[in-house]
Amino acid sequence: MTTQAKSEQSDLPDNIEQRVESLVAERLDALVKERVAQAMKRDPAKRRVAIIASKGTLDMAYIPLILATTAAAMDADARIFFTFYGLNLLKKGGPEKLQVAPIANPAMPVPVPNILGMLPGMTPMATRMMKGMFAKHNVVSVPELLHQAIELDVKLIACQMTMEVMGIRREDLIDGIEFGGAAMFLGFATGAHTTLLI
Amino acid sequence: MTTQAKSEQSDLPDNIEQRVESLVAERLDALVKERVAQAMKRDPAKRRVAIIASKGTLDMAYIPLILATTAAAMDADARIFFTFYGLNLLKKGGPEKLQVAPIANPAMPVPVPNILGMLPGMTPMATRMMKGMFAKHNVVSVPELLHQAIELDVKLIACQMTMEVMGIRREDLIDGIEFGGAAMFLGFATGAHTTLLI
Amino acid sequence: MTTQAKSEQSDLPDNIEQRVESLVAERLDALVKERVAQAMKRDPAKRRVAIIASKGTLDMAYIPLILATTAAAMDADARIFFTFYGLNLLKKGGPEKLQVAPIANPAMPVPVPNILGMLPGMTPMATRMMKGMFAKHNVVSVPELLHQAIELDVKLIACQMTMEVMGIRREDLIDGIEFGGAAMFLGFATGAHTTLLI
């Protein structure tokens, strides 16, 4: 508003006008500061946890499920978007069949030379070993984690494009999940602080 | 402002002062709330999508490119920082040569025992199969996705440190890209909601 | 406030009421914009970099350490949460022993057919080669990067669940680190713009 417009509009005594201005300025400053601080604290991005699960091995299945169930237990809106090999986790009977191959990973707890790791029987053996290690320490299994995720309202989304490409039908997947694409993931992730890809 | 300061400064009748205060309070509360909410919605972090592409296999090339092109189509400022094996995607002729090995991944759509997967000819075969699956379902190829990314102004950044270490020269890479390091990535990512590493 | 309540309460001249309203409207817009912009600039989420390191190979060890040390040098609060194979980086003498296997990764700088890559001696050879490439270009080694991270106050957190499952004791790990779980990571990550999983 220009000075002219102001003086035209106003027919208050000068001191009253000034006092009104200073009162407004004074109140406004504090209030805006407080409200902005509140809004930042309540920022909905803090409550959103967006995870892409692109791996279908036993070891890499624990990570998204443990993170998402923990986030949901902390009252966050956690969503896992399953794409590529990650879709194996959503297949009926899929979580029970996940495996881990003891090759190309010299960082395994019990490293196996690749020339042995590639032998038939080694992948099932490594899988049994890893499952045993988790069970022994009372870590819930992947099927159980998936069940917990559903109970805790973690949203599970199957990537439609990958389903088509890999010939996976809706009836191949467990119930209670949603279907979407990259745009659906980004629509959620662009408003989330925590965004992770496994 | 203390009460004393206020009364010294003020020469308004008490009722006017009170009325101004209550008017300010009344208008302000709702208005500030609304304005702050609006301003938060325009948070620039929502428009930024920061991706690190560190893998150079065919399967893991789709993910950053599909996410970045979708984000750009949604009007986001999407940037991919290519490091380690991810640089293969930026090499001249590189996207055409990406491969996927059918070993160490028991989650492949058509799982192959590792003892077969490691045989000569199996990597080209798995690569052909995967390309065929995507083409059959009209998913654009990786070279085409890269082209779309450039058209959509996705910023493609090659990691200079990896280039030096791997002996990759600027002329080995496609045109229209930028060069930078971890600091450049973080300068962007620290202001982005969506940050993902593939 | 209803119109009736307003007229009962108010004994101001109409022009004061209008003037207050117009002042509030006039000041508010600019002020909210400015304050929200300030708050967003100071947003603590920009200063937080939350990284999960789940891989224990030589190549994938560089990425979290380079990102975290660079972030810390840029004055960010950078924390790495080591889980699964990533714990190898925190083992006493661990960083020196990291390896990279030249199989299942057709994107390696010097690709090796899997049938050769799986032969005994090939993993040590690929490891020596990669270390040599980094050293030749004056990139600090992984043990040195870990040392820098500690000097720069990057917080290093070992995943307690993985430690138990893999039978890793506190005394197996280097000094000066912390211990926690998914909840500890999420408590930090939900307030961080940059969140990455390697």
Side-chain angles (χ1 to χ4, degrees):
Chain A
M1 185 181 280
T2 65
T3 315
Q4 211 194 338
K6 210 195 267 185
S7 52
E8 271 171 17
Q9 198 183 48
S10 174
D11 45 6
L12 297 177
D14 259 13
N15 61 341
I16 295 194
E17 170 116 21
Q18 280 163 23
R19 183 67 196 122
V20 168
E21 293 222 17
S22 90
L23 259 174
V24 168
E26 188 185 307
R27 292 291 175 280
L28 215 53
D29 227 49
L31 193 64
V32 169
K33 218 169 182 168
E34 187 196 311
R35 280 296 153 85
V36 170
Q38 277 176 6
M40 297 286 290
K41 227 174 253 170
R42 278 192 316 258
D43 185 357
K46 295 193 176 179
R47 286 197 55 257
R48 289 178 164 201
V49 174
I51 299 175
I52 296 180
S54 70
K55 303 291 187 297
T57 51
L58 179 63
D59 46 357
M60 292 299 129
Y62 282 106
I63 299 181
L65 291 172
I66 287 175
L67 285 170
T69 50
T70 306
M74 289 163 81
D75 205 36
D77 179 356
R79 306 189 187 180
I80 312 178
F81 185 78
F82 296 84
T83 189
F84 275 77
Y85 314 118
L87 279 177
N88 283 331
L89 278 74
L90 294 185
K91 281 188 187 160
K92 282 175 186 153
E96 288 80 5
K97 287 184 207 141
L98 300 179
Q99 294 192 302
V100 58
I103 57 169
N105 185 3
M108 290 207 83
V110 184
V112 175
N114 289 317
I115 199 164
L116 293 182
M118 59 95 202
L119 291 177
M122 289 307 273
T123 293
M125 198 197 76
T127 302
R128 265 199 312 277
M129 241 181 71
M130 182 167 278
K131 281 186 184 176
M133 284 164 77
F134 277 85
K136 195 180 145 192
H137 292 89
N138 304 311
V139 180
V140 291
S141 66
V142 169
E144 180 55 27
L145 276 171
L146 194 72
H147 182 70
Q148 283 185 9
I150 292 167
E151 296 274 298
L152 286 162
D153 284 325
V154 173
K155 211 168 264 181
L156 308 174
I157 302 146
C159 171
Q160 278 177 312
M161 189 205 74
T162 317
M163 287 176 63
E164 280 174 37
V165 168
M166 296 193 173
I168 299 168
R169 296 158 308 167
R170 289 200 179 203
E171 56 265 38
D172 298 333
L173 303 182
I174 59 171
D175 293 329
I177 62 171
E178 297 183 28
F179 302 89
M184 189 204 250
F185 171 76
L186 287 166
F188 182 67
T190 51
H193 269 322
T194 312
T195 58
L196 298 165
L197 183 142
I198 290 101
Chain B
M1 185 181 283
T2 65
T3 314
Q4 212 195 337
K6 209 195 271 182
S7 51
E8 272 170 19
Q9 197 183 49
S10 175
D11 45 6
L12 294 178
D14 260 13
N15 60 342
I16 292 194
E17 178 136 353
Q18 280 163 24
R19 183 66 196 124
V20 168
E21 296 225 13
S22 91
L23 257 175
V24 168
E26 186 186 309
R27 292 290 176 281
L28 220 51
D29 228 47
L31 203 59
V32 168
K33 218 170 181 169
E34 187 197 311
R35 285 294 156 82
V36 170
Q38 277 175 6
M40 297 285 291
K41 236 175 241 170
R42 282 190 309 259
D43 185 356
K46 295 194 175 181
R47 288 197 57 256
R48 289 179 165 202
V49 174
I51 299 175
I52 295 180
S54 69
K55 302 292 187 297
T57 51
L58 178 64
D59 45 356
M60 291 300 128
Y62 281 106
I63 299 182
L65 292 172
I66 288 175
L67 285 170
T69 50
T70 306
M74 290 163 82
D75 205 36
D77 179 357
R79 306 190 188 179
I80 313 178
F81 185 78
F82 296 84
T83 189
F84 275 77
Y85 314 118
L87 279 178
N88 283 331
L89 278 74
L90 293 185
K91 282 189 187 160
K92 283 175 186 153
E96 288 79 5
K97 288 183 205 138
L98 300 178
Q99 294 192 301
V100 59
I103 59 169
N105 185 3
M108 289 207 83
V110 184
V112 174
N114 289 316
I115 199 164
L116 292 182
M118 59 93 201
L119 291 178
M122 289 305 274
T123 293
M125 198 196 75
T127 302
R128 266 198 312 277
M129 240 180 72
M130 182 166 279
K131 281 186 184 175
M133 284 164 77
F134 277 86
K136 194 179 145 192
H137 293 89
N138 304 311
V139 180
V140 291
S141 66
V142 169
E144 180 55 27
L145 275 171
L146 194 72
H147 181 70
Q148 284 185 9
I150 292 166
E151 296 273 298
L152 286 162
D153 284 325
V154 173
K155 211 168 266 182
L156 308 174
I157 302 145
C159 171
Q160 278 177 314
M161 189 206 73
T162 318
M163 285 176 64
E164 280 173 38
V165 168
M166 297 194 173
I168 299 169
R169 295 158 308 168
R170 290 199 177 202
E171 55 265 38
D172 297 332
L173 304 183
I174 58 170
D175 293 328
I177 62 172
E178 297 184 27
F179 302 89
M184 190 206 250
F185 171 76
L186 287 166
F188 182 67
T190 51
H193 270 323
T194 311
T195 57
L196 298 165
L197 184 142
I198 289 100
Chain C
M1 185 181 281
T2 65
T3 315
Q4 212 194 334
K6 208 195 274 184
S7 52
E8 272 171 18
Q9 199 183 45
S10 174
D11 44 7
L12 293 179
D14 260 13
N15 58 349
I16 290 196
E17 181 140 351
Q18 280 162 21
R19 185 68 196 121
V20 167
E21 298 227 7
S22 91
L23 263 173
V24 167
E26 190 185 307
R27 294 284 181 281
L28 198 59
D29 232 47
L31 192 64
V32 168
K33 227 170 180 167
E34 187 197 312
R35 280 294 155 86
V36 170
Q38 276 175 8
M40 286 198 167
K41 229 174 252 172
R42 278 191 317 258
D43 186 356
K46 293 196 174 179
R47 287 197 55 257
R48 289 178 165 203
V49 173
I51 299 176
I52 296 179
S54 69
K55 303 293 187 296
T57 50
L58 179 64
D59 46 356
M60 292 300 129
Y62 281 106
I63 299 181
L65 292 173
I66 288 175
L67 285 170
T69 50
T70 307
M74 290 163 81
D75 204 36
D77 179 356
R79 307 189 187 179
I80 312 178
F81 185 78
F82 296 84
T83 189
F84 276 76
Y85 314 118
L87 279 177
N88 283 331
L89 278 73
L90 294 185
K91 282 188 187 160
K92 282 174 187 154
E96 288 79 5
K97 287 185 206 138
L98 299 179
Q99 293 193 301
V100 59
I103 59 169
N105 185 3
M108 289 207 85
V110 184
V112 175
N114 289 316
I115 199 163
L116 293 182
M118 58 94 201
L119 291 177
M122 289 306 273
T123 293
M125 199 196 75
T127 303
R128 265 199 312 277
M129 241 180 72
M130 182 166 279
K131 281 186 184 176
M133 284 164 77
F134 277 85
K136 195 179 145 192
H137 293 89
N138 303 312
V139 180
V140 291
S141 66
V142 169
E144 180 54 27
L145 275 170
L146 195 72
H147 181 70
Q148 283 185 9
I150 292 168
E151 296 274 298
L152 287 161
D153 283 325
V154 173
K155 212 169 265 181
L156 307 173
I157 302 145
C159 172
Q160 278 176 314
M161 189 205 73
T162 317
M163 286 175 64
E164 280 173 38
V165 167
M166 296 193 173
I168 299 168
R169 296 159 307 166
R170 289 200 178 204
E171 56 266 38
D172 298 332
L173 304 183
I174 58 170
D175 292 330
I177 62 171
E178 297 184 27
F179 302 89
M184 189 205 252
F185 170 76
L186 286 166
F188 182 67
T190 51
H193 269 322
T194 312
T195 58
L196 298 165
L197 184 143
I198 289 99

